[in-house]
Amino acid sequence: MTDMAQDKSYERGQVIQIINSVIDKMEQNTAPTHEIVSHIAELAQTLDKLKKEIAETDAGAAKEEQIRSATDELDAIVSSTAEATNDILAACEQIEKYAEENDIPQIAEYVSNIYVACGFQDITGQRITKVVGAMRVIENKVDRLLKMLDDHVGPIPGAPAQVADLPADTSASNSNEPVSIETVDEKKDLLNGPQLPEKAVTQDDIDKLLAEFD
Amino acid sequence: MNMNVLVVDDYQTMVRIIKNLLKQIGFSNVDEAADGKEAFDKIQSKEYGLIISDWNMEPMTGLELLKEVRGAQAAFSNVPFIMVTAESKTENVIIAKQAGVNNYIVKPFNAETLKSKIDSVLAA
């Protein structure tokens, strides 16, 4: 465990300990008022320290600049690969036309392989769209964290001015849970995009599955 | 072949790839649509012998298009329908089959797979 992680763990434990101590003493009504006030002041100091540390992480700037910049870059990758793929396809179409005009049928097979290989643009585009979606979830969570801290411990430097009225956080669903065919939300749950190679169902698997219906 | 084929995909590059492969196989009358809604409009106004559709599209997905086609009280409700998609989870395949898909091709695919699935669907 790093020093930083140990510090965070200690502070979290410390805060819980103070809260429990204050609640116990208030419930039992055994401690003098000045002792309870002292504990609350200690708690306030800890929260203030936490707030300063969050401000130092510049979470607001990360949300405003880095995440947005990264999603823009990813969008640019999709655009540029689409453009390059279209150029390759256009060149292939010219080669194919030349092969037809000059009766060179072998060329068609080679060109066919290039056509199929160009399908990478669709797959990478969908993968990048998934990453952009994940980054937007992170952005939403940063917004909510800043809003929560703003409400409870005062403004955080670098945080966006308006973080209210955020869309509902829908990122909590657990994709590892088994899916029931009867209850699945087809619009949301079935749109997962390309699977990673080690997790992907192959065409042979699909053919076997479809054969079971025959 | 004179049969009209409709290719539905929101990625223009994929439409172009499939159209070129279909041309090599021998299909010369190939139309395209960028999503399920545009496709369904075309299906209602023109007779198609085969539909090849992606799944993940907005505003109407390939699965919704399949259900619209199969649920229509029209001559086109039995048109052969092949799903070509990166959605390769088992539940996707099962739901598509239950909705009436004739075959299912997972991306990335090769030309041979496309041809064999088309042959299989049209021979049935």
Side-chain angles (χ1 to χ4, degrees), chain A residues 9 78 185 214:
Chain A
S9 172
V78 174
D185 180 341
D214 295 335

Side-chain angles (χ1 to χ4, degrees), chain A residues 8-185:
Chain A
K8 283 183 180 175
S9 172
Y10 172 74
E11 284 187 358
R12 190 165 57 240
Q14 184 186 36
V15 170
I16 292 167
Q17 195 178 9
I18 294 167
I19 291 170
N20 285 335
S21 169
V22 170
I23 291 170
D24 285 347
K25 284 171 182 170
M26 288 181 79
E27 281 178 350
Q28 292 164 12
N29 203 18
T30 54
T33 306
H34 68 87
E35 192 177 328
I36 293 172
V37 169
S38 166
H39 279 305
I40 292 173
E42 197 177 346
L43 189 59
Q45 280 178 350
T46 306
L47 288 172
D48 193 50
K49 188 179 171 193
L50 176 66
K51 177 188 145 191
K52 283 175 185 161
E53 285 178 0
I54 289 169
E56 284 167 10
T57 65
D58 217 2
K63 184 259 168 187
E64 287 296 299
E65 294 168 22
Q66 292 163 345
I67 294 177
R68 185 155 303 158
S69 169
T71 54
D72 287 348
E73 293 287 344
L74 291 170
D75 284 341
I77 290 172
V78 174
S79 298
S80 58
T81 55
E83 199 176 322
T85 306
N86 273 316
D87 289 345
I88 295 168
L89 290 172
C92 286
E93 286 160 10
Q94 287 178 323
I95 292 169
E96 198 173 17
K97 189 178 174 189
Y98 176 84
E100 280 173 11
E101 288 168 355
N102 293 278
D103 195 24
I104 318 173
Q106 299 94 324
I107 295 290
E109 188 182 335
Y110 303 144
V111 170
S112 167
N113 292 337
I114 300 174
Y115 285 146
V116 170
C118 285
F120 85 92
Q121 195 273 326
D122 179 14
I123 303 293
T124 52
Q126 290 191 48
R127 287 195 193 286
I128 289 172
T129 301
K130 280 174 79 172
V131 173
V132 169
M135 292 184 74
R136 293 210 167 108
V137 169
I138 294 167
E139 187 181 26
N140 195 352
K141 286 190 181 299
V142 171
D143 267 343
R144 287 180 174 279
L145 179 63
L146 292 173
K147 168 79 165 60
M148 186 185 74
L149 290 166
D150 191 41
D151 285 349
H152 294 284
V153 295
I156 303 292
Q162 286 291 332
V163 288
D165 303 325
L166 293 168
D169 185 354
T170 57
S171 63
S173 64
N174 184 352
S175 60
N176 293 324
E177 288 179 0
V179 177
S180 159
I181 298 299
E182 288 74 21
T183 59
V184 73
D185 180 341

Side-chain angles (χ1 to χ4, degrees), chain A residues 86 90 93 96 108 112 115-116 118-119 121-122 125 181 184 186-187 190-193 201 203 207 213, chain B residues 11 13-14 16-17 20 24 55 59 64 67 86-88 91-92 95 97 103-107 109 111 117:
Chain A
N86 273 316
E93 286 160 10
E96 198 173 17
S112 167
Y115 285 146
V116 170
C118 285
Q121 195 273 326
D122 179 14
I181 298 299
V184 73
E186 290 176 348
K187 194 81 175 182
L190 293 174
L191 296 180
N192 300 294
V201 176
Q203 185 66 49
D207 290 347
F213 285 85
Chain B
Y11 273 76
T13 47
M14 186 49 68
R16 197 167 175 177
I17 290 165
N20 280 321
Q24 289 189 342
W55 183 314
E64 289 168 333
K67 289 180 174 179
E87 303 294 344
S88 60
E91 57 262 32
N92 290 75
I95 284 176
K97 187 64 186 174
N103 221 314
Y104 198 105
I105 299 174
V106 63
K107 294 176 184 173
F109 58 92
K117 301 306 176 196

